[in-house]
């Protein structure tokens, strides 16, 4: 039954982050889930020169990327995964966001019951419990549903999203360094403003340092090592 579900979902679902093209300025703006996409989408929609496309296949089939300047906003992989995981916990188990049902279907009923009971992690004990249960099934979920996996879980540099050819031509802009002079100049070039508007607020609040637990660090080091290396973030 599990194999049938895998095949079924692989053929119907993949949540790609959008790509924005500005032909007038010869700019390609790549995006990734949980990396300021709400703000970027808002700014691009306001600027009529930006056109939205679906994925890298459409990009490479229809545009000569050598003629464009390519930019990608990035986020520290540890905090990006933390943000995604907390969103996962605060969604209803039946929500299709983040591949929720697929992950749920891997768990035995007793684990599913207690995992869901503690999903809203208002303290670090519940958080660690849920992270531990999640991790037991994430390996199978990630590896066997890669083609249908929600892009929130994939690394920012995964070749399903952006291949090495695209990334080699890309200028990376770290969200943690938006106040640097060179990044302010890029933001001004992209959107004709000096600072990005306040990011979309989540409905859950958390202490980043408190929730940066050893288990979470281990998961990120395993699944997002390419992001740490390619995007030049310090490995914990």
């Amino acid at each position: 039954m599990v194999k049938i579900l895998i095949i079924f979902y692989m053929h119907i679902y993949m949540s790609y982050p959008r790509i924005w093209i500005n032909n007038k300025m010869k700019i390609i703006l790549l995006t990734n889930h949980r990396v300021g996409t709400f703000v970027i989408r808002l700014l691009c929609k306001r600027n009529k020169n930006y056109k939205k496309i679906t994925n890298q296949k459409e990009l490479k089939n229809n545009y000569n990327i050598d003629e464009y300047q390519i930019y990608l906003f990035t986020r520290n992989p540890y905090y990006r995964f933390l943000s995604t995981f907390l969103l996962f916990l605060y969604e209803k188990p039946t929500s299709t966001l983040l591949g929720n049902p697929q992950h749920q279907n891997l768990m035995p009923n007793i684990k599913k019951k207690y995992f869901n009971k503690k999903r809203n992690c208002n303290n670090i004990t519940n958080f660690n419990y849920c992270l531990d249960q999640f991790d037991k099934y994430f390996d199978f979920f990630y590896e066997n549903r890669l083609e249908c996996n929600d892009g929130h879980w994939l690394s920012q540099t995964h070749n399903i999203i952006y291949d090495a050819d695209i990334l080699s031509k890309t200028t990376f802009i770290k969200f943690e360094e938006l106040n640097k002079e060179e990044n302010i100049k890029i933001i001004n070039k992209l959107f004709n403003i000096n600072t990005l508007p306040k990011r979309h607020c989540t409905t859950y609040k958390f202490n980043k340092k408190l929730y940066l637990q050893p288990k979470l660090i281990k998961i990120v080091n395993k699944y997002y090592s390419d992001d740490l290396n390619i995007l030049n973030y310090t490995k914990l």
Side-chain angles (χ1 to χ4, degrees):
M1 182 63 164
V2 172
K3 290 183 179 179
I4 294 174
L5 284 172
I6 292 172
I7 295 172
F8 176 71
Y9 282 112
M10 283 181 68
H11 281 85
I12 66 169
Y13 182 71
M14 172 62 196
S15 175
Y16 289 101
R18 296 295 182 256
I19 299 171
W20 297 86
I21 304 289
N22 188 323
N23 286 316
K24 183 177 181 180
M25 298 180 65
K26 290 297 179 181
I27 286 173
I28 296 172
L29 183 54
L30 311 176
T31 70
N32 261 310
H33 295 306
R34 307 308 287 174
V35 190
T37 46
F38 178 85
V39 170
I40 293 170
R41 181 174 69 246
L42 183 65
L43 292 172
C44 288
K45 283 185 174 180
R46 288 176 178 175
N47 188 324
K48 295 181 180 179
N49 291 321
Y50 280 100
K51 174 186 176 183
K52 180 174 66 176
I53 64 173
T54 304
N55 53 48
Q56 66 174 337
K57 182 178 179 181
E58 182 180 351
L59 173 64
K60 299 191 83 170
N61 285 345
N62 296 291
Y63 300 89
N64 181 359
I65 63 175
D66 291 329
E67 296 178 354
Y68 290 76
Q69 290 181 296
I70 307 176
Y71 298 96
L72 172 66
F73 286 93
T74 71
R75 185 176 183 182
N76 185 302
Y78 297 102
Y79 295 126
R80 178 174 179 260
F81 177 82
L82 173 59
S83 177
T84 301
F85 182 65
L86 287 171
L87 175 62
F88 179 78
L89 293 179
Y90 278 81
E91 286 295 315
K92 294 180 180 180
T94 54
S95 169
T96 57
L97 185 65
L98 303 170
N100 204 330
Q102 293 97 306
H103 184 272
Q104 292 278 302
N105 288 337
L106 297 174
M107 305 177 76
N109 288 334
I110 187 68
K111 292 290 185 180
K112 187 186 301 184
K113 175 182 177 182
Y114 284 100
F115 177 80
N116 290 331
K117 185 178 180 180
K118 298 177 182 291
R119 286 175 72 90
N120 290 341
C121 295
N122 53 5
N123 62 64
I124 198 64
T125 300
N126 283 357
F127 175 84
N128 279 327
Y129 175 89
C130 288
L131 184 61
D132 184 61
Q133 299 307 314
F134 174 86
D135 184 41
K136 289 178 181 178
Y137 304 96
F138 188 53
D139 187 72
F140 186 88
F141 171 67
Y142 190 96
E143 296 297 338
N144 291 278
R145 291 180 166 80
L146 200 55
E147 294 294 342
C148 68
N149 211 344
D150 189 297
H152 289 78
W153 295 120
L154 296 179
S155 66
Q156 299 166 74
T157 57
H158 199 290
N159 59 15
I160 286 180
I161 301 176
Y162 305 122
D163 64 26
D165 182 41
I166 292 175
L167 293 177
S168 69
K169 298 174 173 66
T170 297
T171 298
F172 303 122
I173 311 161
K174 291 183 178 180
F175 254 91
E176 299 81 13
E177 299 177 352
L178 292 181
N179 290 328
K180 284 191 171 183
E181 184 178 352
E182 59 266 32
N183 289 335
I184 293 174
K185 290 180 179 179
I186 293 174
I187 292 171
N188 187 274
K189 178 179 181 179
L190 294 174
F191 307 118
N192 199 30
I193 55 177
N194 291 328
T195 59
L196 295 181
K198 186 176 180 180
R199 280 169 273 181
H200 184 49
C201 294
T202 58
T203 56
Y204 47 85
K205 304 296 180 182
F206 58 93
N207 182 320
K208 287 183 178 181
K209 293 183 179 179
L210 176 64
Y211 281 73
L212 203 61
Q213 294 289 302
K215 170 79 75 173
L216 186 144
I217 292 173
K218 183 178 179 181
I219 292 173
V220 172
N221 288 344
K222 177 179 179 180
Y223 291 99
Y224 304 94
S225 60
D226 284 346
D227 278 1
L228 294 168
N229 294 328
I230 296 173
L231 304 177
N232 195 28
Y233 282 96
T234 301
K235 184 177 181 179
L236 300 180

